[in-house]
């Protein structure tokens, strides 16, 4: 009998399991895949080349106390800092976002007079707000808490009457208020687009206004690949007496008299005082008896996919046409010709068509971590948007080669010889992401990251406190819950706080 049985070994579930094990409770994690970490995992997909299969840029988790509180360095996690954080390029020239905001501003001012000053103003205006949002991410959401942090707290400061309307605007418009030069604006807008909503969406400005925090927490990579975060969590859980079972698909969450009492894995009943589901909310619903699935589940907005990624093993190092130095290989490449490119990509997506000339996020982290590729080789991962899961024409299997080709054509603007360097590859379409990670529609954030599904509205009002509303002792965490997708661990940490409070008060299991 476990104190806590956990469905799924995504990084959030592992974080929650780790806090619970650390508090002295007996924890058992059950994951359907052969690897831990869900969308934070790494595998040798081409001999000698290690590919991340999901998220790669560790940004959000660096703003949390998760890594230090769980002492993950002791369990093998080593973060490599990226500096520069970003390499921005329109295909004609390159500029860099350095870890140091002032260095970034100075360089920008030298290349684009007036824009360094705009950058300084942008960072100064929005650092308090983004810090308040980050704090809200690290607590269980409630309207009072949110109001206190955002409006009355330091988030908007005395200036809140002027700032509030800006926050409610589309991020594309807010970027235009600050940055005159498209070469500066477009990459920042493209980075903000990573959460899913397009630059024209009202209420989306916070995705851009988050930018100042990149200079606070930085962008980092676990040595050995993203999945090393998951492996360190597994080691930590095991060191505290917990168990992580892989290749162990959960078929059912067992409910008796309105209380979760365990799970069923390959026909075997596994009992626990409490159950935590870190799986996608729709998958969790499928594991429950129909009588316990509320109407609201059917209304969550999963969307229609949004990204695809081509992972390449290269036989030689990358060399950018726009900047030959290694700085261009280090940080995340924000490669976008113009804002129009992003609008067109979204337009094609709305028509149910894969983007024909995608903007790209280029990641060649063998530049900072040689363990990812053989000597002299390189990994290059090209994330692109937008790609609908449901296509107007054909299946994903049929359309994948054309999508691959368009991603490579886009990248040829930066390296015309790219095709001749490829020795192995993996094309991850929305359909691939869905089947690998049990992420419906291939939405890497689980649910759309729009304001109607954030904070206490995620996954829906009434289930925002990491509890399944109709079943006692059934807890939730993961990207389907507050604060949403991304490598952060905050939902696992928030959820663990509630579970531990209930376990310690013996509210659970009776
Ligand atoms: C290609 C890609 C690129 C990304 N890039 C970034 C990035 O650079 N930076 C960033 O911050 N974020 C990125 N993300 C997003 C981020 O990785 C995810 O939002 C986050 O990892 C979700 O974590 P999670 O723990 O909430 O859930 P998940 O990782 O979705 O984990 C859920 C787990 O539950 C398991 N499961 C489901 N059903 C069952 C069952 N019946 N039995 C047992 N187990 C089950 C699944 O197999 C999975 O392991 C990316 C994601 C992808 C896919």
């Amino acid at each position: 009998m476990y104190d806590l049985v956990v469905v799924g070994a995504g990084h959030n579930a592992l974080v929650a399991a780790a806090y619970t094990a650390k508090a002295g409770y007996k924890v058992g994690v059950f994951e359907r895949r052969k690897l831990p970490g869900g969308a934070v995992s790494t595998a040798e997909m081409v001999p000698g080349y290690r590919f991340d299969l999901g998220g790669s840029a560790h940004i959000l988790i660096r703003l949390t106390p998760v890594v230090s509180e769980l002492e993950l360095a002791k369990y093998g996690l080593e973060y490599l800092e990226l500096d520069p954080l970003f390499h921005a390029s329109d295909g004609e020239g390159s500029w860099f976002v350095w870890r140091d905001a002032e260095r970034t501003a100075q360089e920008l001012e030298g290349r684009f007079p007036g824009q360094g000053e705009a950058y300084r103003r942008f960072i100064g205006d929005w650092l308090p707000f983004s810090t308040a949002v980050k704090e809200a991410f690290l607590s269980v959401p409630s309207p009072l808490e949110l109001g206190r942090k955002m409006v009355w707290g330091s988030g908007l400061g005395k200036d809140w009457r002027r700032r509030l309307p800006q926050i409610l605007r589309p991020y594309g418009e807010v970027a235009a208020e600050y940055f005159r030069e498209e070469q500066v604006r477009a990459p920042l807008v493209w980075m903000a687009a990573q959460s899913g909503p397009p630059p024209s969406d009202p209420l989306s400005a916070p995705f851009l206004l988050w930018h100042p925090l990149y200079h606070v927490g930085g962008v980092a990579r676990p040595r050995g690949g993203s999945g090393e975060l998951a492996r360190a969590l597994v080691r930590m859980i095991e060191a505290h007496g917990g168990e992580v079972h892989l290749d162990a698909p959960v078929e059912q969450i067992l409910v008796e008299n309105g209380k979760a009492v365990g799970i069923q894995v390959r026909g075997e009943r596994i009992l626990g005082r409490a159950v935590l589901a870190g799986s996608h909310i729709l998958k969790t619903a499928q594991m429950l008896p129909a009588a316990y699935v509320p109407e609201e589940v059917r209304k969550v907005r999963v969307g229609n996919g949004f990204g695809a990624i081509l992972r390449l093993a290269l036989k030689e190092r990358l060399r950018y046409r726009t900047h030959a130095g290694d700085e261009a290989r280090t940080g995340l490449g924000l490669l976008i010709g113009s804002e129009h490119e992003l609008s067109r990509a979204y337009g094609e997506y709305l028509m149910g068509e894969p983007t024909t000339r995608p903007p790209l996020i280029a990641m060649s982290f063998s530049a900072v971590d040689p363990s990812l590729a053989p000597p002299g080789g390189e990994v290059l991962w090209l994330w692109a948007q937008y790609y609908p899961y449901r296509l107007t024409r054909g299946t994903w299997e049929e359309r994948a080669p054309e999508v691959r080709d368009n991603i490579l054509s886009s990248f040829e603007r930066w390296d015309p010889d790219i095709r001749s360097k490829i020795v192995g590859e993996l094309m991850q379409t929305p359909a691939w992401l869905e089947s690998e990670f049990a992420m419906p529609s291939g939405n890497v954030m689980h649910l759309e990251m729009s304001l109607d599904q954030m904070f206490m509205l995620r996954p829906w009002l009434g289930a925002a406190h990491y509890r399944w509303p109709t079943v006692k002792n059934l807890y939730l965490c993961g990207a389907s819950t507050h604060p949403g997708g991304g490598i952060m661990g905050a939902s696992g940490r928030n959820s663990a706080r509630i579970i531990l409070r209930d376990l310690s008060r013996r509210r659970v299991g009776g």
Side-chain angles (χ1 to χ4, degrees):
M1 172 83 151
Y2 294 97
D3 291 308
L4 184 68
V5 176
V6 182
V7 181
H11 81 288
N12 274 304
L14 290 173
V15 164
Y19 278 104
T20 311
K22 189 178 170 205
Y25 294 100
K26 177 81 180 158
V27 173
V29 181
F30 296 82
E31 164 60 48
R32 54 184 265 288
R33 293 172 75 228
K34 293 190 173 76
L35 282 176
V40 185
S41 50
T42 304
E44 186 169 321
M45 300 302 284
V46 174
Y49 293 84
R50 291 174 63 75
F51 287 0
D52 288 347
L53 297 177
S56 294
H58 290 229
I59 299 173
L60 302 163
I61 195 166
R62 308 273 300 160
L63 297 162
T64 76
V66 167
V67 171
S68 60
E69 284 175 354
L70 295 175
E71 299 179 287
L72 294 182
K74 233 168 85 179
Y75 299 97
L77 178 64
E78 184 194 347
Y79 269 120
L80 304 167
E81 299 273 349
L82 307 186
D83 198 9
L85 310 174
F86 302 109
H87 159 220
S89 178
D90 63 351
E92 299 303 323
S94 286
W95 63 274
F96 296 92
V97 176
W98 299 93
R99 176 69 195 261
D100 180 21
E102 184 49 33
R103 179 177 177 190
T104 310
Q106 276 174 20
E107 280 197 14
L108 269 177
E109 194 60 35
R111 283 209 51 195
F112 309 98
Q115 298 300 275
E117 190 43 43
Y119 194 82
R120 244 178 239 123
R121 193 157 47 83
F122 175 67
I123 300 288
D125 282 356
W126 295 105
L127 183 60
F129 170 74
S130 52
T131 305
V133 173
K134 188 256 295 181
E135 290 301 323
F137 281 5
L138 286 168
S139 47
V140 178
S142 76
L144 190 67
E145 178 77 8
L146 204 60
R148 200 184 292 147
K149 289 205 161 97
M150 299 299 157
V151 183
W152 296 289
S154 62
L156 297 177
K158 288 190 221 90
D159 236 4
W160 73 271
R161 280 173 210 277
R162 190 165 66 84
R163 295 277 158 77
L164 195 59
Q166 278 182 297
I167 292 167
L168 303 178
R169 270 179 215 152
Y171 61 85
E173 283 184 22
V174 178
E177 283 171 27
Y178 281 88
F179 302 104
R180 197 180 53 229
E181 294 285 346
E182 189 168 13
Q183 274 167 285
V184 177
R185 197 170 62 232
L188 302 181
V189 165
W190 174 217
M191 188 56 200
Q194 295 312 302
S195 291
S200 52
D201 247 26
L203 310 175
S204 65
F207 294 121
L208 177 79
L209 305 180
W210 181 267
H211 186 97
L213 290 184
Y214 298 137
H215 293 292
V216 176
V219 180
R221 290 278 309 161
R223 187 188 292 281
S226 218
E228 291 307 307
L229 168 64
R231 288 185 200 280
L233 284 162
V234 170
R235 281 184 215 112
M236 192 275 173
I237 292 166
E238 289 172 348
H240 288 79
E243 297 163 14
V244 179
H245 301 268
L246 302 175
D247 199 12
V250 177
E251 292 143 357
Q252 279 181 50
I253 295 172
L254 304 171
V255 182
E256 286 172 11
N257 302 322
K259 290 177 187 163
V261 295
I263 56 175
Q264 180 181 302
V265 177
R266 298 192 191 283
E268 189 192 338
R269 281 166 65 86
I270 293 157
L271 301 181
R273 287 171 66 202
V275 176
L276 167 66
S279 34
H280 191 287
I281 199 78
L282 296 184
K283 297 289 172 188
T284 304
Q286 281 167 11
M287 290 175 229
L288 281 166
Y292 293 105
V293 179
E295 183 61 25
E296 285 92 333
V297 175
R298 270 189 284 277
K299 295 185 186 147
V300 296
R301 288 193 310 111
V302 173
N304 191 20
F306 73 95
I309 183 160
L310 177 62
R311 313 254 180 199
L312 300 173
L314 305 183
K315 65 181 176 203
E316 59 192 81
R317 296 224 170 103
L318 200 56
R319 211 174 151 82
Y320 279 88
R321 208 174 46 76
T322 51
H323 184 99
D326 279 345
E327 303 80 18
R329 296 165 56 229
T330 304
L332 268 76
L334 306 178
L335 310 183
I336 179 164
S338 66
E339 282 173 298
H340 177 69
E341 223 165 67
L342 190 55
S343 309
R344 191 186 46 205
Y346 193 68
E348 288 170 316
Y349 161 89
L350 290 178
M351 306 266 290
E353 278 295 307
T355 310
T356 45
R357 193 176 164 82
L360 302 168
I361 301 278
M363 294 165 277
S364 49
F365 297 129
S366 37
V368 291
D369 183 356
S371 75
L372 298 178
E378 188 103 286
V379 291
L380 173 64
W381 306 326
L382 299 171
W383 167 266
Q385 282 168 225
Y386 289 87
Y387 297 96
Y389 168 80
R390 287 178 295 280
L391 293 162
T392 307
R393 190 168 54 79
T395 64
W396 263 112
E397 214 180 314
E398 289 160 1
R399 309 279 315 255
E402 154 200 344
V403 165
R404 169 199 184 266
D405 196 51
N406 286 338
I407 290 177
L408 286 176
S409 299
S410 261
F411 191 71
E412 278 170 341
R413 285 179 276 173
W414 287 275
D415 182 353
D417 300 327
I418 187 63
R419 289 178 201 253
S420 67
K421 297 179 183 167
I422 302 171
V423 292
E425 63 185 75
L426 172 69
M427 180 69 235
Q428 297 175 287
T429 65
W432 190 101
L433 296 173
E434 177 181 66
S435 75
E436 177 70 20
F437 298 121
M439 273 177 176
S441 301
N443 184 343
V444 304
M445 303 294 170
H446 286 199
L447 308 178
E448 297 267 67
M449 297 276 281
S450 46
L451 200 64
D452 61 313
Q453 298 196 129
M454 294 297 279
F455 301 103
M456 53 274 170
L457 303 174
R458 196 173 185 92
W460 65 84
L461 201 64
H465 292 89
Y466 304 102
R467 286 191 170 95
W468 188 268
T470 55
V471 178
K472 212 169 165 261
N473 303 346
L474 175 55
Y475 299 86
L476 304 172
C477 74
S480 297
T481 64
H482 170 75
I487 306 168
M488 189 173 196
S491 107
R493 183 173 178 268
N494 293 344
S495 173
R497 237 185 283 164
I498 288 185
I499 295 168
L500 286 174
R501 200 176 55 201
D502 288 1
L503 281 172
S504 70
R505 289 181 188 167
R506 303 201 170 277
R507 281 196 190 152
V508 172

